[in-house]
Amino acid sequence: MTDYSKLIDTETWAFIDRTNSYYPPDAVDHSIAEQRRTYDRMCREFHAGYPEGVVAEDSRIETATHAIPIRTYRRNAPDEAVRVLYFHGGGFVVGGLDSHDDVCAEICARTGYDVVSVDYRLAPEHVHPAAYDDCRAAFEWAATQQDRPILLCGDSAGGILAAAVSHTVRGHANAPIGQVLIYPGFGGDQTKGSYVIHAEAPLLTVRDMAFYKDVRTGGKDVSKDATYAPFVDPDFSGLPPTVIISAECDPLSDDGQEYRDRVRASGGKAAWFNEEGLVHGYLRARHTVSRARDSFTRIVEAVRGLGKGEWNY
């Protein structure tokens, strides 16, 4: 067992305890409805409000079969260099437009870019590839606007979805100019590295991951589907400049390093930051934990820089 008392500081433990008070460690043993209720309540309790000068508008992307709700954040004096598509986390089971509402508003405020949050369909009502299909549809919608480039951003499940879209739209006339992936997992080897060292990490365990996989797939074999796990893709060439931010105390942390290495080996640009002493889901700690605050600044700077076509890594 990893001794987290030596890795995690007092501020982060306070965040972990507060999170567990709303969304308990055994949440995956509860019904889906109960998980969503407790997760939504937790997100409301952590909501930090909107920065001054940011407004949001809800609308929908119409597809041939259904509508995808989106929320667009815009600053009073916007920087129209790029449009950010944000895909939220939540294990493909929980979350939505409200769960990451303040995060998206703050990214908008601090970069000046319009941020579009995508309310993709969730499992188990809609198993894979429904979430990917909705994110791909959102990209196609943004690409038809043709008024500015697209940058993809997402955390956890949303980071996986952002990477899946990037892998499948290479060669598109409006392919993303960058992607910022926050504590994502790409289908790494669970018999070694962080999957073993941090199998029982606070806020995300390997057992949790197995639950989310089963719900997301509905029992289907997706082992050869790169839109499910980007590591299945043998080709990492032609991807946009990529910044990956992992949490050290997270089973998924090694996936960030491996993704960076694959992109670089294929001739692309990629940077990876493994945030010391932080845990999965730390975006909600960005106002109370100094390490999380610093990491969020790194995320914002990555979004801003990639949106300007800059590479400072």
Side-chain angles (χ1 to χ4, degrees), residues 17-283:
D17 291 342
R18 186 182 178 201
T19 299
N20 285 336
S21 73
Y22 300 121
Y23 196 73
D26 66 348
V28 294
D29 296 325
H30 302 176
S31 70
I32 297 296
E34 182 61 21
Q35 288 183 50
R36 289 174 178 166
R37 281 194 296 271
T38 55
Y39 184 83
D40 289 347
R41 182 194 171 203
M42 176 188 70
C43 293
R44 288 193 299 270
E45 294 292 339
F46 277 103
H47 196 285
Y50 283 15
E52 185 177 354
V54 172
V55 296
E57 179 181 6
D58 290 355
S59 57
R60 296 151 68 92
I61 298 170
E62 298 294 338
T63 74
T65 58
H66 64 286
I68 305 167
I70 60 173
R71 180 170 295 161
T72 302
Y73 302 82
R74 188 172 179 83
R75 201 170 69 175
N76 288 341
D79 184 332
E80 298 185 344
V82 70
R83 176 178 286 110
V84 178
L85 288 187
Y86 194 95
F87 306 138
H88 68 82
F92 303 92
V93 174
V94 299
L97 295 182
D98 293 337
S99 64
H100 291 63
D101 183 50
D102 52 341
V103 171
C104 291
E106 288 178 34
I107 292 173
C108 171
R110 294 177 62 174
T111 63
Y113 305 150
D114 286 8
V115 176
V116 179
S117 179
V118 180
D119 193 10
Y120 56 84
R121 289 171 293 173
L122 299 176
E125 297 90 343
H126 306 282
V127 298
H128 178 76
Y132 162 76
D133 289 343
D134 285 357
C135 293
R136 174 64 185 266
F139 165 80
E140 296 291 353
W141 164 82
T144 62
Q145 308 300 304
Q146 297 183 336
D147 57 343
R148 70 194 82 169
I150 299 163
L151 188 145
L152 301 181
C153 185
D155 70 287
S156 193
I160 301 170
L161 291 166
V165 171
S166 288
H167 279 247
T168 53
V169 300
R170 284 173 288 189
H172 193 288
N174 285 332
I177 64 168
Q179 56 177 349
V180 178
L181 312 175
I182 306 162
Y183 37 78
F186 302 116
D189 185 348
Q190 295 193 19
T191 67
K192 63 181 184 181
S194 60
Y195 284 102
V196 176
I197 297 169
H198 297 296
E200 299 293 330
L203 302 192
L204 183 69
T205 67
V206 168
R207 176 174 175 265
D208 296 335
M209 292 169 53
F211 167 81
Y212 292 126
K213 176 183 177 180
D214 289 344
V215 176
R216 181 186 178 194
T217 63
K220 294 189 300 183
D221 180 7
V222 294
S223 59
K224 297 182 180 179
D225 185 351
T227 66
Y228 174 82
F231 278 164
V232 173
D233 192 345
D235 182 8
F236 273 66
S237 64
L239 291 170
T242 300
V243 177
I244 311 122
I245 300 95
S246 301
E248 179 188 17
C249 304
D250 183 343
L252 301 173
S253 61
D254 281 359
D255 279 19
Q257 182 178 22
E258 184 175 348
Y259 192 91
R260 177 202 64 186
D261 293 347
R262 291 195 189 192
V263 173
R264 287 182 174 179
S266 299
K269 295 177 179 178
W272 173 63
F273 298 93
N274 197 28
E275 303 292 18
E276 181 179 351
L278 287 178
V279 294
H280 199 85
Y282 70 79
L283 279 181

